[in-house]
Amino acid sequence: PPKLGERGFEHAHSDQIERVVATCLQKDRDDRYSSFRELRSDLIQLLPEDSRAAAYAESEKYAKNRFTAQSF
């Protein structure tokens, strides 16, 4: 598929976003993210540095609530 830049998507992190998307779409399971936490880590790195801690904390809270609710 065409890269994001080839489709008119201009963003400061286009190359990094492209890498994350490509990793998600890998055919071989071993080449994809093995967990949500790995994907989240790469996505959070795209945020401004002063927003990363809050994004991490919010995603942890969401994951904890979601998985706790499903365990019942």
Side-chain angles (χ1 to χ4, degrees), residues 28-72:
D28 187 343
R29 167 181 239 160
D30 293 335
D31 294 334
R32 295 190 301 257
Y33 291 104
S34 63
S35 69
F36 168 73
R37 284 194 162 101
E38 284 184 22
L39 172 60
R40 175 188 62 187
S41 177
D42 279 358
L43 290 174
I44 287 175
Q45 292 304 311
L46 300 175
L47 296 172
E49 195 168 334
D50 60 345
S51 301
R52 292 177 188 166
Y56 178 80
E58 188 64 28
S59 67
E60 275 294 304
K61 184 172 64 173
Y62 172 79
K64 183 177 180 181
N65 289 338
R66 181 167 185 223
F67 295 121
T68 301
Q70 288 180 354
S71 62
F72 288 107

Side-chain angles (χ1 to χ4, degrees), residues 1-2 4 7 14 17 21 25-27 33 44 47 51-52:
L4 294 172
R7 302 189 125 227
S14 293
I17 293 170
V21 171
L25 296 176
Q26 289 296 311
K27 290 182 182 181
Y33 291 104
I44 287 175
L47 296 172
S51 301
R52 292 177 188 166

